[in-house]
Amino acid sequence: MTTDSTAPVFGSEQVRRARYAVAAVFAVHGAVTGSFATRVPWIQDHASVSAGQLGLALAFPAIGATLAMPLAGRVSHRFGARTALRGLLALWTLSLVLPAVAPNLLTLCVALFVYGASAGMSDVVMNALGVEVENRLDRSIMSGLHGMWSVGALIGSAAGTVAAHVGADARLHHAVAAGVLTVLGLAACGGVLDLRSEPDEEPPPRFTLPPKSALLIGAVGFCAVFAEGASMDWSAVYLRDVMDSSAGLAAASTTAFALTMAVARIAGDKVVDRFGAVRTVRIGGVLATAGGLLVVLSPNTALALCGFGLLGLGVAVVVPLAFAAAGRSGPNPSRAIAGVATITYTSGLIAPSAIGSLAEATSLLVSFGLVTVLAFGLVLGAGVLRGGDRKVAEGGVRAAAPAASTTGD
């Protein structure tokens, strides 16, 4: 990036407003996910697919996201970050309509591919903008932004639960939700920083491998997301099958995990500002490891529930800090963020099936032993999240667009 006297300068008040705008974008993004998740059974019935076919279809959002995320930097370079976010976020909110109207397995897979691709590209741009605002405020905000995503997901899932309870047609529900969220998303995008590439900057490649800096950071994110995905999808089954718990208590494990994650993310920025990213992740790794051990060694349901709560608390802030570190790891923030996002999306994709396969070959105890080992990996790998110091431009706030370039690491 070159310094250009014609580059836009943002005042401190504008940056503070941009923080709230980006937070609203995160909430809208999460609300789409929550809205979709609650209507999956309706979508399955409408498309007349079996459980195995549904599992295949549900792999396509991650496939679409993984393939499309490297394009986000080029879109930002071409149109500027604000315009890119407007378009990509609107594509994401409107794509909510597609799965519910799919009449069969093939069209459902195509719909979910588009759904995932738009999710991944908007995810990269909004995280890059979040890192830019964090750098200019010179304090941690990424954990809180991801906390707002969780809040949005909870709101979307609550609305979806009500819609499912009253028997609303998911096509109507998702059409209304998509319209409302598109309007809210476009309004929020108007407040984000209008970041643009330097006039003489080369456009990033359409597809590129993640930079080396993103691989180590992504490995830490992989451990956290694997533990998160395994706990979210398998904690209730674990309590039912291993601890012989009631259905109500088994379901409570998922709730405990989700709540501790949401609370920890919202409160996480103050912890990061106090202790720094590396110490925060190491402490989180210790808590997550203790939680995993408690799950595996627990003699009763109550202690296992506490274990899942500690797992959620321990991994909550890791992914936000991984994105923040990626955005400060070199001259190509979107490329690095896209690389970390690709690795973490992959982890989220393989974790549930990996836990199930290992459990079938051995037992769920062994599966959560693996989760515990990966949680300890956060303690060992936390040092890679230093990612450079946050820097505020002198004489105002100037930012280049969060776009990748063709330069190496």
Side-chain angles (χ1 to χ4, degrees), residues 7-409:
V9 176
F10 303 103
S12 58
E13 183 60 32
Q14 189 175 4
V15 174
R16 282 192 290 269
R17 288 198 303 268
R19 175 188 179 181
Y20 297 116
V22 174
V25 168
F26 270 78
V28 168
H29 197 284
V32 177
T33 300
S35 299
F36 167 75
T38 55
R39 306 313 305 270
V40 169
W42 190 98
I43 292 170
Q44 179 184 6
D45 292 340
H46 178 70
S48 300
V49 297
S50 66
Q53 290 173 326
L54 178 63
L56 171 65
L58 289 176
F60 275 80
I63 295 172
T66 299
L67 293 177
M69 282 187 292
L71 294 172
R74 193 173 184 90
V75 174
S76 288
H77 177 91
R78 173 67 178 82
F79 298 103
R82 180 188 289 172
T83 301
L85 184 60
R86 276 180 176 145
L88 293 173
L89 187 65
L91 181 61
W92 164 233
T93 54
L94 292 173
S95 71
L96 176 62
V97 176
L98 299 179
V101 300
N104 52 50
L105 177 61
L106 177 61
T107 55
L108 181 59
C109 290
V110 173
L112 289 174
F113 181 90
V114 175
Y115 173 86
S118 58
M121 288 193 291
S122 56
D123 194 318
V124 170
V125 178
M126 72 188 195
N127 272 284
L129 280 165
V131 172
E132 293 284 351
V133 174
E134 179 177 88
N135 288 343
R136 283 150 181 75
L137 290 174
D138 199 27
R139 66 176 185 269
S140 177
I141 66 166
M142 289 301 292
S143 179
L145 292 180
H146 282 254
M148 288 301 298
W149 189 97
S150 298
V151 170
L154 287 171
I155 293 173
S157 63
T161 299
V162 172
H165 180 72
V166 300
D169 189 306
R171 290 170 294 188
L172 175 61
H173 164 214
H174 282 174
V176 173
V180 171
L181 292 173
T182 299
V183 172
L184 293 176
L186 290 175
C189 288
V192 304
L193 299 180
D194 190 15
L195 310 179
R196 297 182 179 274
S197 298
E198 301 294 349
D200 58 347
E201 185 177 337
E202 290 291 329
R206 288 183 174 85
F207 292 99
T208 182
L209 294 175
K212 296 176 183 177
S213 59
L215 296 178
L216 292 176
I217 296 170
V220 175
F222 181 96
C223 293
V225 173
F226 193 100
E228 177 183 347
S231 299
M232 285 292 290
D233 288 356
W234 285 96
S235 58
V237 178
Y238 183 92
L239 288 186
R240 184 194 66 192
D241 293 353
V242 177
M243 307 302 298
D244 197 26
S245 302
S246 67
L249 278 176
S253 65
T254 304
T255 302
F257 184 84
L259 284 177
T260 54
M261 281 202 67
V263 171
R265 281 181 170 174
I266 291 172
D269 289 319
K270 291 185 178 179
V271 178
V272 174
D273 283 334
R274 176 73 180 274
F275 298 104
V278 174
R279 289 181 64 188
T280 299
V281 172
R282 281 187 179 143
I283 293 169
V286 170
L287 292 175
T289 303
L293 289 172
L294 203 55
V295 167
V296 173
L297 303 177
S298 174
N300 57 60
T301 299
L303 286 177
L305 276 171
C306 292
F308 283 116
L310 283 174
L311 270 168
L313 186 65
V315 304
V317 301
V318 177
V319 171
L321 292 178
F323 280 123
R328 296 192 295 270
S329 63
N332 307 311
S334 273
R335 184 181 166 199
I337 289 172
V340 170
T342 300
I343 294 169
T344 55
Y345 267 68
T346 301
S347 179
L349 173 64
I350 69 173
S353 59
I355 291 296
S357 299
L358 185 58
E360 186 174 351
T362 55
S363 69
L364 272 175
L365 275 172
V366 175
S367 294
F368 276 91
L370 173 62
V371 171
T372 305
V373 171
L374 290 175
F376 186 68
L378 300 176
V379 180
L380 301 178
V384 304
L385 298 185
R386 287 187 176 90
D389 297 326
R390 291 187 294 271
K391 295 180 180 179
V392 181
E394 296 180 2
V397 184
R398 188 195 67 80
S405 75
T406 54
T407 58
D409 292 331

